Amino acid sequence: MSSAVTHFAHGFITPLLAYVMSCMGSMLGLRLTAQAHASRGGARVRWLLGAAVSIGGTGIWVMHFIAMMGFQVEGTQIRYDVPLTAVSALVAVVVVGTGLFLVSYGGGRLLALLGGGLLTGLGVASMHYLGMYAMNMSAHVSYDRTIVAASVVIAVVAATTALWFTLRVKRPIWITLAALVMGVAVAGMHYTGMFAMEVTVDHEAGVVAGADALDFLVPLMTVISLITLTMLLMVILSPSEEELHEDAQLVARLERRRRTSAQPITATPVAQSSFAAPAERRPAQQPVFAAPVPGAHHAAHPAAQHPGAQQPYPGANGRQPPYPPEAATAQDRLPGQSRGGRSRRGR
């Protein structure tokens, strides 16, 4: 027989709480990926692993089973297979982490983004239907293939969008808006897959094996939520990408200043016009001519006997006189003649 299926047994508190948890996990995951892009080496890997736990664990898996708390089937009890439920949580974290690593180390290329989105979307859809398969009830469950295909497409698009956000979104306001969009996409994928479910309750109700939701899911979701809050405190206390960039610029400026102060001080070149050598600043001295001596001067220079001839001056053509002026004056005087030209004997 076909049974009445309800997805809102506790009203809208379960879908609202599921949406809030999805947004919180997505927002924390985006914040962690932004921190990972600003880090290198092992720190980058740790931030990406934290983002995988936040988006896959809290944003998808916890959201899924909080929404399942409001799912009831009239005429049968619902219990959960513990190993399959734990595997579904592991699948969610692994596929989201794989997509994050592909996109982060793929350099933001389109092929890496599409490949990571496809892999992550298929993994999220697998997690969803694996979690549905982990439900035990005294009924027969079938699915509408068209709606299932639509839910898978929504999962792939939502995963690709989420990975694109991890590459582009850095500021807190944009991270918050992106998380709200991701929460809508994850919740839309979940409820689309749930509406694809058709349940037919058995005529004879049998014993349903498995763990009750309150005994198993609530403690598990509490542990994952505490891990999420711990990572949220870590990312709040860690410097943002902008702060790391500002610190790097400050360190670079201090290093340049230190190198500049460590260089030896060189003397400033002085202008030659103000502190030039005296020989360079002193004007060229004019040559000193000897006083002419009557008779002797004409004998020494035959060119002077012709009044129209131009006599060369001492130092012409770059030559200096062969004897000093005082010596020339002394040689031109006749023996026994004084400076006035008179002979001492005549006195």
Side-chain angles (χ1 to χ4, degrees):
M1 56 177 282
S2 179
S3 176
V5 177
T6 178
H7 299 280
F8 311 105
H10 304 290
F12 287 96
I13 183 66
T14 50
L16 182 60
L17 184 59
Y19 175 72
V20 170
M21 290 302 295
S22 180
C23 292
M24 287 183 59
S26 301
M27 181 172 60
L28 178 58
L30 292 175
R31 184 67 179 84
L32 290 171
T33 53
Q35 198 74 22
H37 293 158
S39 305
R40 295 292 182 270
R44 187 176 189 180
V45 174
R46 289 191 294 270
W47 288 121
L48 289 177
L49 290 177
V53 174
S54 300
I55 298 177
T58 304
I60 297 176
W61 189 86
V62 172
M63 176 269 162
H64 171 82
F65 281 100
I66 287 179
M68 291 301 298
M69 300 292 292
F71 177 77
Q72 288 185 0
V73 178
E74 185 180 351
T76 183
Q77 188 180 14
I78 300 176
R79 292 183 178 272
Y80 292 90
D81 188 323
V82 175
L84 286 179
T85 305
V87 169
S88 67
L90 183 62
V91 168
V93 174
V94 169
V95 296
V96 171
T98 304
L100 289 175
F101 274 90
L102 282 176
V103 172
S104 179
Y105 286 95
R109 293 189 295 268
L110 180 61
L111 183 61
L113 177 62
L114 295 179
L118 179 61
L119 179 62
T120 305
L122 293 177
V124 170
S126 301
M127 181 278 306
H128 172 80
Y129 289 105
L130 184 61
M132 298 295 296
Y133 184 75
M135 291 189 307
N136 295 329
M137 64 184 77
S138 181
H140 175 71
V141 179
S142 61
Y143 294 91
D144 188 334
R145 295 181 179 179
T146 304
I147 302 179
V148 169
S151 67
V152 173
V153 171
I154 293 175
V156 172
V157 174
T160 306
T161 305
L163 294 177
W164 184 85
F165 281 146
T166 61
L167 294 174
R168 297 292 184 269
V169 175
K170 299 294 186 297
R171 296 182 178 276
I173 180 63
W174 294 112
I175 288 177
T176 303
L177 294 177
L180 295 176
V181 174
M182 290 172 62
V184 171
V186 173
M189 183 273 301
H190 170 80
Y191 282 105
T192 301
M194 292 298 295
F195 281 115
M197 188 177 186
E198 298 177 357
V199 181
T200 303
V201 180
D202 297 338
H203 293 282
E204 296 180 1
V207 179
V208 180
D212 188 71
L214 294 178
D215 298 335
F216 168 63
L217 290 179
V218 172
L220 187 60
M221 288 186 295
T222 302
V223 171
I224 295 179
S225 300
L226 289 176
I227 294 174
T228 302
L229 291 176
T230 302
M231 289 188 296
L232 180 61
L233 291 176
M234 290 174 58
V235 76
I236 288 175
L237 295 177
S238 300
S240 63
E241 184 177 3
E242 295 181 356
E243 293 174 346
L244 290 175
H245 183 65
E246 292 176 357
D247 292 343
Q249 289 182 340
L250 178 60
V251 171
R253 287 198 299 267
L254 292 176
E255 182 65 19
R256 288 195 299 268
R257 185 176 298 178
R258 185 187 66 81
R259 291 179 180 179
T260 303
S261 60
Q263 291 179 355
I265 301 176
T266 58
T268 304
V270 295
Q272 295 184 357
S273 60
S274 57
F275 294 96
E280 298 178 1
R281 292 188 294 109
R282 185 182 299 121
Q285 297 182 359
Q286 299 294 330
V288 179
F289 299 102
V293 179
H297 184 73
H298 294 280
H301 301 282
Q305 297 176 3
H306 303 279
Q310 186 178 358
Q311 300 179 5
Y313 56 88
N317 300 325
R319 301 185 203 175
Q320 294 295 331
Y323 44 82
E326 295 293 334
T329 306
Q331 290 179 358
D332 289 342
R333 289 196 296 266
L334 296 176
Q337 187 178 7
S338 64
R339 293 177 181 252
R342 298 180 180 179
S343 174
R344 294 180 182 178
R345 296 180 181 178
R347 292 183 183 181

